[in-house]
Amino acid sequence: MEQKTIAVLTSGGDAPGMNAAVRAVVRTAIANDVHVLGVRCGFDGLVNGNIMPMDLRSVSDTIQNGGTILQTARSPVFMTEAGQMQAVEICKKYQISGVAVIGGDGSFKGAEALCKHGIPCVAIPGTIDNDIACTDYTIGFDTAMNTAVEMVDRLRDTTESHNRCSVVEVMGRRCGDIALETGIAVGATCILVPEIKYEFERDILNRMEFTKKTGKHHFIVVVAEGVGRVSEIAQQIEMHTGIETRATVLGHVQRGGSPTVRDRVIASQMGVQAAKLLQEGIGNRAVVMRDAKILHVELTEALKMKRAFNHNLYQIAMMISI
Ligand code: F6P
C-alpha cells in the first residue's frame, strides 16, 4: 500500500506550545508509518508550495521554545477562492491527504474552507487568547498568563513603593480570559473585560475608594485589550482620585517565551489526536479539551458555537480581589 502523506502548519498569531503540537503531529505520523510535511508560514505556505519534509529530528529541541519553527502568517490570499484553489492544487501535487492546522479561530475557518474543497483538515486550538468556543483551553493561554503575571508582579513593586495606581493592558482580542485569570492571580483591585460593560464609578472608583479606606494605598487595574485605551482609563483615574496613575501595555511580550508544562503537555496530547484522525482519513474535526479530556468535535459545528464567559470566576475575583 502506498505511504500516506499528511501536512502540518501553524497559522495566525503564534502561541507558546505550538512547537510541541507540531512535534507531536510529526512524531505520531512517523510512528504510524505516515509521511509528514511541514508547511511554512501558515496557509500562505500552502498557496505557494513553501513545504518541507519533516523527520524525527526536524522537531528535536523545539518543545522548550516559544514561537513556531514552521513560522506563521495571517494570509489574505488564502481568504480568496483563488487562493484556496491554489492550495488544493499544491495539496494534490504533494499528495497530501490531510492537514493539521494549528491556530486560532481564523485558522479554524481556513481549515474548514480547505475541508469544503475536499482536503481533510483537523484544527488544533493554538492561541494565547483562549477565545475558541468549542474548547475549554487553547495552547499558549497558560504561558501568556504566566508571563503577564510575572510582569504585573514587577509593576506591583514599583506601584507599591510610590503609592500609585497601575493600569495594565493584557492581550486577548475580544476575550477577557487572560485579563480575568491574570487579574485574579495578581490580586488586581479592578478587572475590566469586554464581556462585561464597565461603569467607571461602580467598577473602578468605588472599588478603589473602598480598598483605600481599608488601608491599601496602591492599586492594580487589569484591562483586557478589547475594553479600550488604558492611557485614557489611567487619566480618568488620576483625575477623579488624585492618585498618581501609570498605564502599561504588555503587548507582544505575552506571546513569547518558553511554554509552561501545561502548554507543552496539552499541545502534545492535541497534536497526537490530530495526527491519529488524519492518518485514519478523518477530517473536518477540531481537537478540543473538555473537562480535562482531549476530544474531537465536528469543525463546522465547532465554528457555530458561542463562547461563554466565566461569570462565576469573575464574581469570585470581585469578592476576593479587594
Ligand atoms: O490572537 C492573538 C493576539 O496576540 C491577540 O491577543 C491580539 O489582539 C493579536 O493577536 C495581535 O495580533 P498581531 O500579532 O497581528 O499584532
Side-chain angles (χ1 to χ4, degrees):
M1 207 172 74
E2 205 181 308
Q3 200 187 21
K4 219 174 201 168
T5 299
I6 65 165
V8 55
L9 63 84
T10 51
S11 160
D14 62 347
M18 279 184 163
N19 286 330
V22 171
R23 174 177 175 271
V25 170
V26 169
R27 293 200 171 158
T28 306
I30 292 169
N32 291 285
D33 202 26
V34 172
H35 185 50
V36 59
L37 300 171
V39 181
R40 290 196 195 89
C41 303
F43 289 106
D44 264 358
L46 215 48
V47 174
N48 304 324
N50 194 354
I51 287 172
M52 59 183 172
M54 305 290 278
D55 61 26
L56 289 178
R57 299 282 70 85
S58 339
V59 288
S60 289
D61 294 325
T62 61
I63 196 165
Q64 76 279 19
N65 295 327
T68 157
I69 53 163
L70 294 177
Q71 298 200 284
T72 185
R74 305 190 200 276
S75 172
V77 61
F78 186 75
M79 286 174 194
T80 65
E81 181 68 16
Q84 289 166 14
M85 293 313 295
Q86 175 76 13
V88 171
E89 285 314 307
I90 294 289
C91 287
K92 285 186 184 151
K93 181 175 160 196
Y94 284 86
Q95 295 181 319
I96 294 168
S97 65
V99 185
V101 174
I102 307 164
D105 53 355
S107 313
F108 272 45
K109 285 180 194 136
E112 190 198 29
L114 211 49
C115 288
K116 283 188 177 149
H117 286 292
I119 308 293
C121 290
V122 175
I124 301 174
T127 164
I128 64 163
D129 299 339
N130 206 37
D131 61 348
I132 301 184
C134 61
T135 180
D136 294 345
Y137 191 79
T138 63
I139 297 164
F141 180 55
D142 189 57
T143 307
M145 281 191 303
N146 275 286
T147 304
V149 166
E150 189 194 329
M151 297 297 147
V152 180
D153 284 349
R154 285 165 194 258
L155 269 177
R156 175 195 285 277
D157 291 344
T158 169
T159 305
E160 192 169 356
S161 303
H162 289 263
N163 279 343
R164 279 178 177 163
C165 173
S166 267
V167 184
V168 192
E169 182 188 295
V170 295
M171 277 187 166
R173 208 179 284 270
R174 287 173 296 279
C175 179
D177 283 19
I178 295 180
L180 175 58
E181 295 202 23
T182 300
I184 291 179
V186 301
T189 305
C190 314
I191 303 171
L192 307 184
V193 293
E195 291 86 350
I196 299 174
K197 195 168 166 41
Y198 84 94
E199 284 170 29
F200 186 69
E201 202 169 309
R202 181 194 66 191
D203 299 317
I204 300 182
L205 270 193
N206 293 353
R207 290 184 68 80
M208 283 180 68
E209 267 163 27
F210 177 82
T211 309
K212 201 171 169 196
K213 272 193 208 133
T214 56
K216 194 167 177 176
H217 297 285
H218 66 280
F219 309 88
I220 303 285
V221 177
V222 173
V223 182
E225 68 176 335
V227 169
R229 298 168 72 86
V230 278
S231 54
E232 282 165 21
I233 297 171
Q235 257 177 13
Q236 264 195 312
I237 291 176
E238 189 161 305
M239 202 169 76
H240 283 87
T241 63
I243 296 165
E244 244 192 320
T245 303
R246 297 285 187 268
T248 305
V249 178
L250 293 187
H252 288 79
V253 70
Q254 295 160 96
R255 286 234 301 255
S258 179
T260 58
V261 173
R262 183 166 163 77
D263 276 324
R264 296 183 198 194
V265 174
I266 294 174
S268 300
Q269 290 174 289
M270 288 181 164
V272 169
Q273 178 64 84
K276 281 185 176 168
L277 287 166
L278 290 172
Q279 87 202 20
E280 285 168 28
I282 301 170
N284 197 28
R285 304 298 290 176
V287 178
V288 298
M289 185 174 191
R290 286 188 187 164
D291 299 327
K293 289 194 186 71
I294 304 298
L295 307 167
H296 51 94
V297 297
E298 208 206 329
L299 181 55
T300 311
E301 287 308 309
L303 280 166
K304 286 185 197 149
M305 292 174 67
K306 292 266 172 291
R307 194 152 197 296
F309 181 68
N310 192 343
H311 286 274
N312 185 36
L313 195 58
Y314 183 80
Q315 289 315 323
I316 287 175
M318 291 304 99
M319 183 174 69
I320 64 174
S321 272
I322 194 82

